[in-house]
Amino acid sequence: MEHFSVIQSIIRAGLAGDRAALDKQVVRLRERMEKAGQIKEAETIDRLRASVSEAYDMAPSRIEISRTLISGERLTPDVNPPIDRETGARLCTLDFPNSDDQQPIYGDIVYETIEGLLQEWTNAEALRSVGVEPTRSLLIYGPPGSGKTVTAHHISQRLGLPLVTARIDGLISSFLGTTARNIANLFDFANRYACVLLLDEFDALAKLRDDPQEIGEIKRVVNTLLQNLDHRCKYGVTIAITNHDRLLDPAVWRRFETHVHIGEPELKSREQLISRFLQPIKAEEPTLRIVSYCLTGRSGADIERICLSVKRTLALSRDAHDGPGVFHALSTVLARSHYHDHTPARILATDQEAFISLIANDPDFPMKQTDIGEATGYGQSRVSDLKKAKRHLALMEAAHAQ
Ligand SMILES: Nc1ncnc2c1ncn2[C@@H]1O[C@H](COP(=O)(O)OP(=O)(O)OP(=O)(O)O)[C@@H](O)[C@H]1O
Ligand SMILES: [Mg+2]
């Protein structure tokens, strides 16, 4: 049966009562139908999705966590986090679940990995019936600004558990033996309460190894860390994050059962990020595609920053808050930045008409001239003229010559 794998995912998400996962899978089904030429069916799905409220669309549901998975006392805001005895610095920060969490945006593989873990945590008893335990430790790695920290926050939200985030700089002490003691105290704290433990910027500990003066100390620190990580799996979920996976000690790496790489967003994810960060401006599909095309290779954090600048620029201009307004504002924002290693962004920063000529001629950017005309405000006949004039070629050559 066609699309059966997606239908299975829809059923799984529906039975688990996970609305966010359900919606994601419905969108996947719609995309597959569109690709297969089943346009009417895809439009029916669009209508069904549109008929449910925005709130339903955005708010990911909290899952019902298996009772035996997380042990410990309830962590409340009045509990004091542990401190470094010498300096009084806090060893961690505490975040409590609230209602304004949004599902991070990523491609299918990352999405399915994270949702898979959440499913394990809700179905611990089913796993145990076949003699396996749910995964309790997750290592997230990838470039800066790709959504690693927001993912950890989102997981703790979905589990309805407080997030205990280690302050790695607070843990590291110049006093001999204190770093290891701080690590042990932090883990004792996390094991005492029902929580998710987050070791963000985890590589800071590994970096200590670069210092020849620290050889003895770092051995002690890594050993303490390994022992505590091993012990931790009896108590709760642990997430570590790093930008520099190669710096991590291989023994530490092995302690994490699942490794997830979150990289730069692909085209579809970029469109979703742009749509989210341009809110409350409602951008149509062609506008999203054009902005996404310009922001190839950018991280989620970059996309957020650029969208905020676009909104500021648009708000202060006389342009309408529509596709052409966004297009002009994006061109202004890109023109203000000094460096673009992506040629389309550089062309839009320099010359809007050359950019239109570029996209109208790009076989990898299949958009109708009427849509380009509407999204940019140039109109279909001007787009057609620009396509013929191939104004972008001179700028492309200049870019390659550099
Ligand atoms: N995949 C994503 N989905 C939703 N928002 C994202 C995503 N990636 C980045 N962002 C936005 O960018 C901001 C920075 O993301 P985050 O702090 O999670 O990045 P990071 O990968 O932890 O970066 P770093 O390695 O620099 O710590 C977030 O506040 C969020 O608004
Ligand atoms: Mg981070």
Side-chain angles (χ1 to χ4, degrees):
M1 183 184 169
E2 219 181 346
H3 315 307
F4 188 61
S5 63
V6 193
I7 292 171
Q8 260 183 316
S9 305
I10 291 177
I11 295 171
R12 211 179 300 133
L15 291 176
D18 186 343
R19 282 179 178 179
L22 182 66
D23 191 51
K24 168 97 182 179
Q25 298 303 335
V26 170
V27 171
R28 271 182 74 204
L29 180 65
R30 185 216 170 278
E31 279 168 12
R32 299 229 174 150
M33 288 182 149
E34 193 179 30
K35 260 193 201 154
Q38 295 161 315
I39 305 298
K40 267 195 173 164
E41 288 83 351
E43 283 171 0
T44 306
I45 295 183
D46 281 341
R47 277 197 298 278
L48 282 171
R49 286 189 69 236
S51 68
V52 289
S53 73
E54 180 106 321
Y56 175 97
D57 244 6
M58 299 308 294
S61 60
R62 191 174 286 178
I63 61 176
E64 193 59 42
I65 191 165
S66 291
R67 274 193 303 276
T68 50
L69 182 67
I70 308 275
S71 59
E73 297 168 36
R74 207 163 91 82
L75 183 56
T76 54
D78 45 279
V79 173
N80 289 324
I83 54 169
D84 178 299
R85 270 190 237 156
E86 268 91 22
T87 62
R90 290 180 170 202
L91 304 182
C92 58
T93 51
L94 309 180
D95 288 287
F96 294 88
N98 56 47
S99 54
D100 53 324
D101 173 57
Q102 274 193 331
Q103 169 106 39
I105 293 166
Y106 359 74
D108 283 354
I109 295 178
V110 175
Y111 178 80
E112 274 160 23
T113 308
I114 303 292
E115 292 301 317
L117 289 175
L118 291 166
Q119 297 241 343
E120 287 185 28
W121 292 326
T122 32
N123 293 300
E125 286 73 20
L127 297 186
R128 285 180 185 140
S129 71
V130 292
V132 284
E133 281 293 310
T135 307
R136 284 174 182 268
S137 51
L138 167 67
L139 180 75
I140 307 177
Y141 64 104
S146 53
K148 299 182 298 297
T149 302
V150 289
T151 297
H153 282 263
H154 176 69
I155 289 174
S156 93
Q157 294 272 347
R158 292 276 297 280
L159 295 175
L161 288 171
L163 187 69
V164 172
T165 306
R167 298 180 54 169
I168 303 280
D169 288 342
L171 288 172
I172 296 172
S173 161
S174 50
F175 294 98
L176 203 65
T178 302
T179 306
R181 192 178 63 207
N182 283 345
I183 291 174
N185 286 344
L186 169 75
F187 275 85
D188 283 348
F189 179 82
N191 294 345
R192 178 171 167 192
Y193 294 98
C195 65
V196 174
L197 173 61
L198 172 60
L199 307 165
D200 206 350
E201 319 215 343
F202 196 44
D203 43 275
L205 283 175
K207 274 193 204 141
L208 282 179
R209 279 181 305 174
D210 297 342
D211 188 343
Q213 305 295 315
E214 300 282 357
I215 292 295
E217 177 70 349
I218 190 63
K219 264 196 182 158
R220 196 195 332 239
V221 168
V222 171
N223 281 341
T224 309
L225 193 58
L226 295 181
Q227 279 166 10
N228 279 286
L229 283 171
D230 287 340
H231 191 56
R232 166 86 188 141
C233 67
K234 288 193 216 106
Y235 297 92
V237 173
T238 311
I239 303 173
I241 293 180
T242 180
N243 287 340
H244 308 280
D245 45 301
R246 296 215 182 100
L247 286 179
L248 286 189
D249 194 298
V252 174
W253 185 261
R254 273 204 310 279
R255 288 318 192 271
F256 291 88
E257 297 157 282
T258 298
H259 305 157
V260 183
H261 178 256
I262 306 186
E264 267 104 27
E266 299 290 331
L267 180 89
K268 202 75 210 163
S269 301
R270 286 200 303 278
E271 285 181 15
Q272 291 172 356
L273 287 161
I274 293 160
S275 169
R276 177 178 293 180
F277 295 136
L278 281 180
Q279 293 281 351
I281 296 168
K282 290 241 177 292
E284 304 286 338
E285 190 67 32
T287 297
L288 294 178
R289 212 165 288 171
I290 289 173
V291 180
S292 173
Y293 179 78
C294 285
L295 302 184
T296 306
R298 303 282 194 150
S299 68
D302 275 347
I303 291 174
E304 180 173 26
R305 187 177 47 76
I306 291 170
C307 287
L308 294 183
S309 297
V310 164
K311 284 199 286 192
R312 283 191 196 104
T313 306
L314 189 54
L316 298 180
S317 76
R318 294 205 185 130
D319 290 340
H321 296 185
D322 57 7
V326 168
F327 178 70
H328 296 310
L330 177 65
S331 164
T332 309
V333 167
L334 293 175
R336 279 193 220 124
S337 352
H338 297 296
Y339 177 72
H340 298 291
D341 54 1
H342 182 54
T343 306
R346 196 185 304 182
I347 293 178
L348 181 55
T350 319
D351 180 344
Q352 288 184 17
E353 295 198 343
F355 177 81
I356 290 172
S357 150
L358 169 73
I359 53 174
N361 281 290
D362 186 346
D364 294 331
F365 191 79
M367 189 182 283
K368 287 193 212 131
Q369 288 185 7
T370 39
D371 286 343
I372 299 178
E374 268 179 32
T376 58
Y378 277 74
Q380 189 272 328
S381 73
R382 182 77 187 125
V383 172
S384 170
D385 292 344
L386 288 168
K387 180 176 180 179
K388 282 185 215 128
K390 298 195 189 327
R391 262 178 83 151
H392 62 291
L393 289 179
L395 289 172
M396 299 270 283
E397 274 164 30
H400 289 307
Q402 275 178 14

